[in-house]
Amino acid sequence: MKGLFLTLEGIDGAGKSSHIDALEALFKAQGRQVTRTREPGGTPLAEALRAQILEQPMDALTESLLVFAARRDHVVRVIEPALARGDIVLCDRFTDATFAYQGAGRGFDPSVLSTLEQWVQAQPDSGVHALLQPDITVWFDLPPETAAERLAGARLPDKFESQPVEFFRRVAAGYAQRAASAPRFVRIDANQSREQVWQQIEAALAERGFVASDSGGAP
Ligand code: TMP
Protein backbone atom coordinates (compact mmCIF):
# COMPACT_ATOMS: atom_id res chain seq x y z
CA MET A 1 0.00 0.00 0.00
CA LYS A 2 1.22 3.48 -0.79
CA GLY A 3 2.28 5.68 2.13
CA LEU A 4 0.50 8.93 2.88
CA PHE A 5 2.13 12.03 4.34
CA LEU A 6 -0.38 14.16 6.26
CA THR A 7 0.65 17.33 8.07
CA LEU A 8 -1.24 19.55 10.50
CA GLU A 9 -0.62 23.28 10.55
CA GLY A 10 -1.89 26.45 12.14
CA ILE A 11 -0.93 29.18 14.57
CA ASP A 12 -0.33 28.30 18.23
CA GLY A 13 -3.68 27.80 19.96
CA ALA A 14 -5.53 26.75 16.79
CA GLY A 15 -6.29 23.31 18.32
CA LYS A 16 -4.62 21.03 15.77
CA SER A 17 -2.89 18.73 18.29
CA SER A 18 -6.18 17.76 19.92
CA HIS A 19 -7.27 15.93 16.72
CA ILE A 20 -4.22 13.73 16.23
CA ASP A 21 -5.52 10.88 18.42
CA ALA A 22 -8.74 10.78 16.39
CA LEU A 23 -6.86 10.84 13.10
CA GLU A 24 -4.69 7.95 14.23
CA ALA A 25 -7.78 5.97 15.27
CA LEU A 26 -9.50 6.74 11.98
CA PHE A 27 -6.64 5.40 9.85
CA LYS A 28 -6.02 2.40 12.12
CA ALA A 29 -9.69 1.47 11.84
CA GLN A 30 -9.03 1.17 8.09
CA GLY A 31 -6.22 -1.29 8.74
CA ARG A 32 -3.39 1.18 8.15
CA GLN A 33 -0.12 1.46 10.07
CA VAL A 34 0.33 4.95 11.48
CA THR A 35 3.55 6.80 12.30
CA ARG A 36 2.83 9.78 14.53
CA THR A 37 5.43 12.46 14.76
CA ARG A 38 6.05 16.19 15.07
CA GLU A 39 8.32 19.07 14.13
CA PRO A 40 10.60 20.38 15.28
CA GLY A 41 11.36 16.90 16.64
CA GLY A 42 10.62 13.28 15.88
CA THR A 43 14.15 11.90 16.46
CA PRO A 44 16.46 12.17 19.49
CA LEU A 45 18.64 14.75 17.70
CA ALA A 46 15.68 16.75 16.39
CA GLU A 47 14.03 16.74 19.83
CA ALA A 48 17.26 18.08 21.35
CA LEU A 49 17.29 20.83 18.72
CA ARG A 50 13.59 21.54 19.42
CA ALA A 51 14.37 22.30 23.05
CA GLN A 52 16.93 24.91 21.96
CA ILE A 53 14.76 26.37 19.19
CA LEU A 54 11.81 26.85 21.55
CA GLU A 55 13.80 28.34 24.42
CA GLN A 56 16.93 30.14 23.20
CA PRO A 57 16.87 33.61 21.69
CA MET A 58 18.59 33.50 18.27
CA ASP A 59 18.56 35.34 15.00
CA ALA A 60 16.17 34.21 12.27
CA LEU A 61 18.87 32.59 10.11
CA THR A 62 20.18 30.51 13.03
CA GLU A 63 16.60 29.50 13.84
CA SER A 64 15.90 28.53 10.23
CA LEU A 65 19.12 26.50 9.98
CA LEU A 66 18.33 24.62 13.20
CA VAL A 67 14.75 23.94 12.13
CA PHE A 68 15.94 22.56 8.80
CA ALA A 69 18.76 20.55 10.44
CA ALA A 70 16.18 18.94 12.73
CA ARG A 71 13.96 18.35 9.68
CA ARG A 72 16.71 16.66 7.71
CA ASP A 73 17.36 14.14 10.49
CA HIS A 74 13.61 13.58 10.85
CA VAL A 75 13.03 13.12 7.10
CA VAL A 76 15.90 10.65 6.67
CA ARG A 77 15.37 8.60 9.82
CA VAL A 78 11.60 8.62 10.28
CA ILE A 79 9.44 10.09 7.51
CA GLU A 80 10.99 8.53 4.40
CA PRO A 81 11.33 5.02 5.93
CA ALA A 82 7.73 5.17 7.18
CA LEU A 83 6.40 6.22 3.77
CA ALA A 84 8.48 3.50 2.11
CA ARG A 85 6.80 0.93 4.41
CA GLY A 86 3.41 2.23 3.31
CA ASP A 87 2.55 3.95 6.61
CA ILE A 88 0.29 6.89 7.15
CA VAL A 89 2.61 9.58 8.52
CA LEU A 90 0.76 12.03 10.78
CA CYS A 91 3.11 14.92 11.34
CA ASP A 92 2.29 17.84 13.63
CA ARG A 93 3.83 20.70 11.58
CA PHE A 94 6.38 20.59 8.74
CA THR A 95 7.99 23.09 6.35
CA ASP A 96 4.89 25.26 5.96
CA ALA A 97 5.48 26.25 9.60
CA THR A 98 8.96 27.49 8.70
CA PHE A 99 7.59 29.70 5.92
CA ALA A 100 4.85 30.94 8.27
CA TYR A 101 6.91 31.47 11.47
CA GLN A 102 10.46 32.25 10.32
CA GLY A 103 9.40 33.68 6.94
CA ALA A 104 6.19 35.65 7.54
CA GLY A 105 6.39 35.92 11.35
CA ARG A 106 10.05 36.88 11.73
CA GLY A 107 10.39 38.45 8.29
CA PHE A 108 13.17 36.13 7.14
CA ASP A 109 13.94 35.84 3.40
CA PRO A 110 11.63 33.15 1.91
CA SER A 111 14.04 32.52 -0.97
CA VAL A 112 16.66 31.30 1.55
CA LEU A 113 13.99 29.07 3.08
CA SER A 114 13.16 27.70 -0.38
CA THR A 115 16.84 26.89 -0.94
CA LEU A 116 17.05 25.07 2.39
CA GLU A 117 13.83 23.24 1.52
CA GLN A 118 15.41 22.04 -1.74
CA TRP A 119 18.43 20.69 0.10
CA VAL A 120 16.55 19.03 2.92
CA GLN A 121 13.59 17.57 1.01
CA ALA A 122 15.31 16.55 -2.22
CA GLN A 123 14.37 13.11 -3.51
CA PRO A 124 17.09 12.28 -6.04
CA ASP A 125 15.54 8.88 -6.85
CA SER A 126 12.26 10.49 -7.94
CA GLY A 127 13.72 12.97 -10.44
CA VAL A 128 16.03 15.96 -10.28
CA HIS A 129 13.45 18.48 -9.06
CA ALA A 130 11.28 16.18 -6.93
CA LEU A 131 10.86 17.31 -3.33
CA LEU A 132 9.33 15.44 -0.45
CA GLN A 133 6.08 17.30 0.27
CA PRO A 134 2.99 16.37 2.27
CA ASP A 135 0.18 14.71 0.31
CA ILE A 136 -2.33 16.65 2.36
CA THR A 137 -1.98 19.52 4.81
CA VAL A 138 -4.81 20.14 7.25
CA TRP A 139 -4.66 23.84 8.05
CA PHE A 140 -6.46 24.97 11.19
CA ASP A 141 -7.43 28.55 10.46
CA LEU A 142 -8.32 30.61 13.53
CA PRO A 143 -8.26 34.39 14.09
CA PRO A 144 -5.06 35.22 16.04
CA GLU A 145 -7.10 37.09 18.70
CA THR A 146 -9.16 33.96 19.41
CA ALA A 147 -6.03 31.81 19.53
CA ALA A 148 -4.49 34.24 22.03
CA GLU A 149 -7.57 33.96 24.25
CA ARG A 150 -7.36 30.16 24.10
CA LEU A 151 -3.66 30.22 25.00
CA ALA A 152 -4.05 32.68 27.87
CA GLY A 153 -3.81 30.89 31.18
CA ALA A 154 -2.61 27.66 29.56
CA ARG A 155 0.76 26.11 30.41
CA LEU A 156 3.89 28.24 30.61
CA PRO A 157 4.30 29.72 27.11
CA ASP A 158 7.43 28.96 25.07
CA LYS A 159 9.37 31.47 22.96
CA PHE A 160 6.80 31.52 20.16
CA GLU A 161 3.65 31.24 22.27
CA SER A 162 4.70 34.34 24.22
CA GLN A 163 4.89 36.48 21.06
CA PRO A 164 2.36 39.34 20.73
CA VAL A 165 -0.78 38.93 18.65
CA GLU A 166 0.77 40.99 15.79
CA PHE A 167 3.35 38.24 15.31
CA PHE A 168 0.56 35.68 14.93
CA ARG A 169 -1.28 37.94 12.49
CA ARG A 170 1.79 37.75 10.25
CA VAL A 171 2.11 33.98 10.78
CA ALA A 172 -1.58 33.50 9.93
CA ALA A 173 -1.14 35.59 6.77
CA GLY A 174 1.89 33.44 5.89
CA TYR A 175 -0.21 30.29 6.17
CA ALA A 176 -2.99 31.82 4.07
CA GLN A 177 -0.52 32.75 1.36
CA ARG A 178 1.01 29.28 1.34
CA ALA A 179 -2.42 27.62 1.32
CA ALA A 180 -3.44 29.68 -1.71
CA SER A 181 -0.49 28.36 -3.69
CA ALA A 182 -0.76 24.61 -2.98
CA PRO A 183 -3.83 22.42 -3.61
CA ARG A 184 -2.67 19.96 -0.95
CA PHE A 185 -3.98 22.43 1.70
CA VAL A 186 -7.37 21.82 3.29
CA ARG A 187 -8.63 24.82 5.21
CA ILE A 188 -10.48 23.96 8.39
CA ASP A 189 -12.50 26.68 10.11
CA ALA A 190 -11.06 26.15 13.60
CA ASN A 191 -13.36 28.76 15.14
CA GLN A 192 -15.99 26.09 15.84
CA SER A 193 -16.65 23.40 18.43
CA ARG A 194 -14.24 20.50 18.60
CA GLU A 195 -16.89 18.19 17.20
CA GLN A 196 -17.59 20.49 14.23
CA VAL A 197 -13.88 20.83 13.53
CA TRP A 198 -13.53 17.05 13.52
CA GLN A 199 -16.46 16.70 11.10
CA GLN A 200 -14.74 19.11 8.70
CA ILE A 201 -11.52 17.07 8.87
CA GLU A 202 -13.30 13.78 8.24
CA ALA A 203 -15.30 15.23 5.35
CA ALA A 204 -12.16 16.65 3.74
CA LEU A 205 -10.35 13.31 3.98
CA ALA A 206 -13.33 11.44 2.56
CA GLU A 207 -13.77 13.95 -0.26
CA ARG A 208 -10.16 13.40 -1.33
CA GLY A 209 -10.49 9.63 -1.09
CA PHE A 210 -8.04 9.23 1.81
CA VAL A 211 -10.63 7.50 4.02
CA ALA A 212 -13.99 5.85 3.35
CA SER A 213 -16.87 8.29 3.90
CA ASP A 214 -18.66 5.96 6.38
CA SER A 215 -15.55 5.55 8.54
CA GLY A 216 -17.00 6.93 11.81
CA GLY A 217 -14.25 7.66 14.34
CA ALA A 218 -15.43 10.47 16.60
CA PRO A 219 -12.72 12.25 18.64
P1 TMP B 1 4.04 22.99 18.52
O1 TMP B 1 3.90 23.71 19.85
O2 TMP B 1 2.82 23.03 17.68
O3 TMP B 1 4.61 21.62 18.68
O4 TMP B 1 5.11 23.82 17.68
C1 TMP B 1 6.30 24.23 18.19
C2 TMP B 1 6.57 25.69 17.90
O5 TMP B 1 7.62 25.78 16.93
C3 TMP B 1 5.41 26.50 17.36
O6 TMP B 1 5.35 27.72 18.08
C4 TMP B 1 5.79 26.79 15.94
C5 TMP B 1 7.30 26.71 15.95
N1 TMP B 1 7.88 26.28 14.68
C6 TMP B 1 8.63 27.17 13.94
O7 TMP B 1 8.79 28.32 14.33
N2 TMP B 1 9.17 26.75 12.75
C7 TMP B 1 9.01 25.47 12.28
O8 TMP B 1 9.51 25.14 11.21
C8 TMP B 1 8.23 24.55 13.07
C9 TMP B 1 8.04 23.15 12.59
C10 TMP B 1 7.68 25.00 14.26
Side-chain angles (χ1 to χ4, degrees), residues 12 16-17 38-40 50 53-54 63 67 71 92-95 97-99 101-102 155 158 160-161 168:
D12 289 274
K16 62 185 168 47
S17 308
R38 68 171 181 180
E39 290 216 343
R50 175 189 174 95
I53 294 162
L54 296 191
E63 201 168 89
V67 161
R71 179 162 301 133
D92 194 345
R93 299 192 186 281
F94 194 61
T95 303
T98 316
F99 281 90
Y101 280 77
Q102 281 66 49
R155 65 194 162 85
D158 64 32
F160 294 104
E161 289 163 347
F168 288 106

Side-chain angles (χ1 to χ4, degrees), residues 116-133:
L116 293 169
E117 180 185 35
Q118 305 276 333
W119 278 93
V120 167
Q121 290 158 238
Q123 293 193 297
D125 296 345
S126 313
V128 194
H129 299 296
L131 290 189
L132 172 72
Q133 293 289 7

Side-chain angles (χ1 to χ4, degrees), residues 6-28:
L6 186 156
T7 58
L8 299 106
E9 297 283 357
I11 59 174
D12 289 274
K16 62 185 168 47
S17 308
S18 63
H19 292 282
I20 297 180
D21 282 347
L23 276 168
E24 180 175 3
L26 178 63
F27 284 112
K28 282 190 167 164

